[in-house]
Amino acid sequence: MASDPSISIESVLQEQRVFEPSPGFVKTSQISSFTRYQEMVDSAKTDPNKFWGEAALKELHWFKSFEKVLDWSNPPFAKWFVGGKTNISFNCLDRHLDGPTADKTALIWEGEPGDQKKYTYRELHSEVCKVANALKSLGITRGDLVALYMPMVPEAAIAMLACARIGAPHSVVFGGFSSEALRDRLVDGNAKAVITADGGFRKDKIISLKTAVDNALSEGSCPSVKSVLVVQRTGEKVQMNAERDVWWHEIIKKQTSECPAEQLDSEDTLFVLYTSGSTGKPKGVVHTTAGYNLWAHLTFKWIFDIRDDDIYWCTADVGWITGHSYIVYGPLSNGATTVMYEGVPRPSNPGAFWDVIQKYKISIFYTAPTAIRAFMKSGREIPDQFDLSSLRLLGTVGEPINPEAWVWYREVIGGSNCPIVDTWWQTETGGVMISPLPGATPTKPGSATLPLPGIDADVVDSNGNSVSTNEGGYLVIKSPWPGMMRTVHKNAKRFRESYWEYLKPVDGNYIYFAGDGARRDEDGYFWVMGRVDDVINVSGHRLGTMEIESALVSHELVSEAAVVGRPDDLKGESIVAFVTLKSGIDPDEGSIDQLRAHVSREIGPIAKPDEIKFTESLPKTRSGKIMRRILRALASGKEISGDTSTLEDKSVLDNLRS
Ligand code: WTA
């Protein structure tokens, strides 16, 4: 672990404001007092198996009940709800069809050019069944992995639910990733099929998704992929390979709208979702059927205090875990109305979000701090032009939120009326872990507050011992929870080593650590400080510095590269790359553009360095390790503090400074 988690503590230590849940909100909320929250925490602690077992029986439908709540006999490999049979697609659809929820709106979709669609639960069920049947007709069976590379269209959610229905794990690849990044994920996942669209609207441009899929599959690079299902979205011309490609609308026409949900084992893989870590290629995080379902369901219910008449909107992309858990599975499992929006705010449409809130009378809004900071910068005049009075609850996710942005969100967007839930979690945790319960927990701007019932979170030192109040340390989870990732796809060793053995297990007990630093204040509130590993968080997107470095080094001009994050007012962090060119090559005006374009091709535009600095050599230890701490300080214009005696060649520093 290169850096010291205590470094960024100063700024939030000063924050003293506390906001009690408003009496109006408390009156109708499901968990409506701190005492009730405490009782839940206590009962989960006293008998976790009873707590989770009862929750699973109450909240999910089971084709066959489980025999054992948790098998933790082979840590860190957990099995939850052992012996049970269920299906998340059934829990999100079929079980709502018996009562009034059948004709309730399940999904509202607002398209980028202004088109819209609505599906009731009954309609969504029938669409999902047709697609599930279509997948079967393409030869996809239980256990086959299906990749999705899609824009934010309803078909993305439908495809996920269709895969889940037949027990085919899905692997959603964010539509902003390049064909190279897609190919890596298809190969690692051994995908049997890809579901995509002709193109997608992104800001004011069209991106050609189908062409990217063609490139990813070119030259026989992914022989496992036998079929490609293509949604018609933008209407642009695409090449259809007669042996491999089929149009979604054509194949759907031939399917019936009945497809019984497969009775899956609790531990059958539901999906694989790739995310960046500090080393190597992105990791395929594996989530399984029952535990993930319960966690997405329960956390959604607790944190968003969902009521039957709520219109809920999460602005994430389905390509990320937030889209999985809180656009699709959490809301639908609860029978809620979930909104999906294809657009994003941009200079040509800065009020886009507020327009959607006004139009659909959104009552619960969940977005990222980076978006809030951008809105804050462009001024309250824009949101003030819209009627946002339907809002009753606001949420944030993805990165630490600075207290100023929190207070602005509360006052300007929430009219000082809505509680804010700052939710801390990760791809690996499946759902939220630390968050206020809006009717119960007093909030402090910038703090994700307290762990959810049953979540054994702590802040520890590198030996795994709890640190004292307000001292920085590693944010860890000390006991298993239902939504935990089960393994890294095809790499159990990496799972064990990177998450569970990084910190020394105390008394032989495994503790989970996934890269964040934090402190706890005198009330036990958690203040998450951000990543302390070599992962950077750019506008809420997780990127491994190693991945960007490998992309740079794969360019013919580059000999070596080191990438670090630099604090950024809007994006949280920006990407700074220090690059050494091959001997005899002098950088010219075009080199920077060339390298940025190369990274964009290799990974995607989100990974493009904001700044590239050419240097003759990089600061290294005698054993050849790049000293990123020094580069981080240099990138952000800070003094280089700490020990530099391990530097192999001191003159490198002077060169870099100049
Ligand atoms: C960061 C996104 C502070 C954190 C759900 C974590 C946060 C990483 C918060 C996971 C928050 C997420 N406060 N930091 N409320 N939420 N993070 O896997 O660094 O894309 O480790 O999951 O985002 O990113 P991921």
Side-chain angles (χ1 to χ4, degrees):
M1 213 74 348
S3 57
D4 166 4
S6 65
I7 42 178
S8 49
I9 287 181
E10 291 310 314
S11 64
V12 281
L13 260 183
Q14 317 302 329
E15 183 54 55
Q16 300 291 338
R17 288 168 285 191
V18 178
F19 295 86
E20 296 291 333
S22 65
F25 191 93
V26 170
K27 224 188 293 167
T28 61
S29 67
Q30 295 168 40
I31 304 168
S32 59
S33 70
F34 196 72
T35 314
R36 178 70 197 112
Y37 160 75
Q38 273 295 334
E39 284 166 8
M40 290 167 73
V41 169
D42 291 344
S43 62
K45 198 181 233 155
T46 314
D47 191 345
N49 283 347
K50 180 162 179 275
F51 184 80
W52 297 125
E54 285 177 359
L57 289 177
K58 177 163 174 263
E59 305 292 344
L60 304 184
H61 163 272
W62 295 89
F63 297 113
K64 176 176 171 279
S65 187
F66 44 90
E67 285 132 30
K68 194 171 184 183
V69 174
L70 169 67
D71 177 355
W72 189 234
S73 57
N74 179 30
F77 302 96
K79 289 190 182 134
W80 282 90
F81 311 115
V82 184
K85 290 203 186 289
T86 184
N87 186 304
I88 197 169
S89 182
F90 188 99
N91 283 317
C92 287
L93 301 167
D94 308 51
R95 67 161 157 169
H96 303 311
L97 300 186
D98 287 341
T101 312
D103 296 310
K104 176 176 172 174
T105 305
L107 180 67
I108 299 176
W109 172 75
E110 169 83 8
E112 171 57 68
D115 40 350
Q116 42 174 293
K117 277 187 194 163
K118 285 188 184 179
Y119 298 81
T120 63
Y121 273 90
R122 206 188 297 283
E123 289 162 347
L124 194 61
H125 171 263
S126 128
E127 288 306 303
V128 168
C129 286
K130 285 188 215 164
V131 178
N133 285 329
L135 290 172
K136 282 187 185 169
S137 76
L138 293 172
I140 303 296
T141 56
R142 184 168 168 176
D144 288 343
L145 188 121
V146 176
L148 272 63
Y149 184 63
M150 303 197 57
M152 279 289 285
V153 290
E155 287 83 353
I158 292 169
M160 289 163 78
L161 291 159
C163 289
R165 196 161 189 88
I166 61 172
H170 56 70
S171 166
V172 186
V173 179
F174 173 57
F177 279 125
S178 68
S179 53
E180 294 294 321
L182 172 64
R183 175 185 296 161
D184 286 347
R185 287 155 176 78
L186 294 176
V187 170
D188 188 76
N190 202 29
K192 294 282 164 0
V194 182
I195 307 180
T196 189
D198 48 359
F201 297 102
R202 197 164 284 274
K203 298 198 174 160
D204 295 310
K205 284 195 301 216
I206 286 182
I207 46 169
S208 304
L209 294 166
K210 173 64 168 58
T211 310
V213 172
D214 292 342
N215 291 339
L217 300 180
S218 65
E219 291 153 26
S221 46
C222 309
S224 61
V225 174
K226 301 286 186 257
S227 22
V228 177
L229 193 51
V230 190
V231 173
Q232 199 165 42
R233 172 62 188 131
T234 54
E236 64 186 313
K237 229 178 147 43
V238 295
Q239 298 275 345
M240 293 294 275
N241 172 332
E243 263 136 59
R244 191 193 65 191
D245 304 346
V246 282
W247 285 108
W248 171 290
H249 57 275
E250 284 177 4
I251 195 167
I252 294 313
K253 269 193 270 173
K254 302 176 200 144
Q255 312 301 324
T256 67
S257 54
E258 278 308 321
C259 172
E262 192 76 33
Q263 304 199 0
L264 301 177
D265 286 336
S266 294
E267 283 299 334
D268 276 345
T269 298
L270 172 63
F271 64 85
V272 179
L273 183 59
Y274 287 82
T275 191
S276 299
S278 7
T279 51
K281 296 227 172 213
K283 298 177 270 220
V285 170
V286 173
H287 282 289
T288 56
T289 300
Y292 171 84
N293 191 167
L294 181 66
W295 199 230
H297 178 99
L298 264 189
T299 51
F300 182 80
K301 181 172 167 167
W302 287 344
I303 295 163
F304 296 110
D305 189 50
I306 198 75
R307 296 195 311 220
D308 195 39
D309 57 353
D310 274 316
I311 310 285
Y312 161 89
W313 178 28
C314 164
T315 67
D317 190 288
V318 286
W320 310 114
I321 190 71
T322 308
H324 284 55
S325 303
Y326 300 111
I327 294 178
V328 182
Y329 291 121
L332 297 177
S333 185
N334 279 280
T337 300
T338 183
V339 173
M340 207 173 161
Y341 176 50
E342 193 182 25
V344 285
R346 55 194 184 283
S348 61
N349 189 3
F353 277 5
W354 322 128
D355 202 15
V356 172
I357 293 177
Q358 175 176 279
K359 182 168 174 185
Y360 294 107
K361 297 199 168 38
I362 305 289
S363 55
I364 305 175
F365 178 59
Y366 191 31
T367 195
T370 186
I372 299 166
R373 288 192 297 265
F375 295 135
M376 214 172 139
K377 194 169 168 223
S378 46
R380 68 175 297 158
E381 306 79 69
I382 298 169
D384 279 351
Q385 293 160 21
F386 296 86
D387 178 7
L388 305 180
S389 60
S390 55
L391 290 170
R392 66 180 198 95
L393 177 59
L394 302 173
T396 88
V397 58
E399 47 177 325
I401 179 162
N402 44 314
E404 302 70 41
W406 192 102
V407 170
W408 187 90
Y409 194 30
R410 185 185 141 85
E411 288 175 358
V412 178
I413 305 307
S416 301
N417 257 330
C418 308
I420 294 184
V421 286
D422 172 358
T423 60
W424 176 84
W425 60 295
Q426 311 174 301
T427 305
E428 293 86 342
T429 67
V432 176
M433 303 293 277
I434 302 180
S435 166
L437 299 183
T441 317
T443 49
K444 304 183 188 186
S447 168
T449 75
L450 297 165
L452 294 178
I455 297 305
D456 191 3
D458 197 4
V459 180
V460 302
D461 63 20
S462 52
N463 293 315
N465 298 311
S466 303
V467 300
S468 9
T469 302
N470 282 325
E471 204 181 303
Y474 302 107
L475 174 50
V476 298
I477 313 294
K478 293 178 151 173
S479 316
W481 67 100
M484 64 200 278
M485 73 183 281
R486 297 301 194 262
T487 189
V488 170
H489 185 58
K490 295 202 296 209
N491 202 339
K493 181 165 174 273
R494 195 166 171 202
F495 171 65
R496 183 166 357 94
E497 287 174 357
S498 47
Y499 296 106
W500 298 90
E501 289 177 351
Y502 189 83
L503 299 171
K504 289 185 198 97
V506 181
D507 306 329
N509 286 326
Y510 276 88
I511 52 178
Y512 167 87
F513 170 67
D516 281 327
R519 74 176 166 99
R520 278 183 103 167
D521 69 13
E522 39 303 326
D523 297 319
Y525 276 39
F526 284 77
W527 298 77
V528 180
M529 300 305 157
R531 304 290 302 199
V532 295
D533 55 3
D534 291 323
V535 169
I536 51 184
N537 193 325
V538 183
S539 303
H541 300 320
R542 237 170 106 165
L543 293 163
T545 50
M546 280 265 301
E547 280 167 68
I548 309 175
E549 287 163 9
S550 320
L552 284 166
V553 174
S554 71
H555 191 275
E556 57 192 13
L557 296 181
V558 178
S559 147
E560 245 190 329
V563 167
V564 296
R566 173 176 58 203
D568 183 284
D569 283 349
L570 277 183
K571 301 200 276 187
E573 279 183 290
S574 58
I575 307 171
V576 181
F578 294 84
V579 171
T580 324
L581 295 180
K582 288 196 176 133
S583 64
I585 298 177
D586 283 326
D588 60 27
E589 299 246 306
S591 318
I592 290 183
D593 291 343
Q594 235 179 316
L595 293 185
R596 295 183 75 226
H598 180 71
V599 174
S600 190
R601 256 193 320 273
E602 291 288 308
I603 306 175
I606 51 170
K608 259 196 292 198
D610 296 273
E611 194 177 342
I612 295 183
K613 294 174 191 280
F614 293 107
T615 166
E616 267 168 35
S617 41
L618 293 167
K620 289 189 189 160
T621 62
R622 287 191 187 92
S623 60
K625 284 212 180 87
I626 296 173
M627 295 181 77
R628 287 164 206 282
R629 177 169 57 85
I630 290 180
L631 294 174
R632 263 193 289 269
L634 281 170
S636 50
K638 286 201 196 124
E639 271 305 300
I640 297 166
S641 56
D643 188 15
T644 53
S645 62
T646 50
L647 250 182
E648 189 201 15
D649 175 2
K650 296 252 178 344
S651 68
V652 171
L653 263 192
D654 300 327
N655 287 340
L656 275 166
R657 280 207 187 92
S658 66

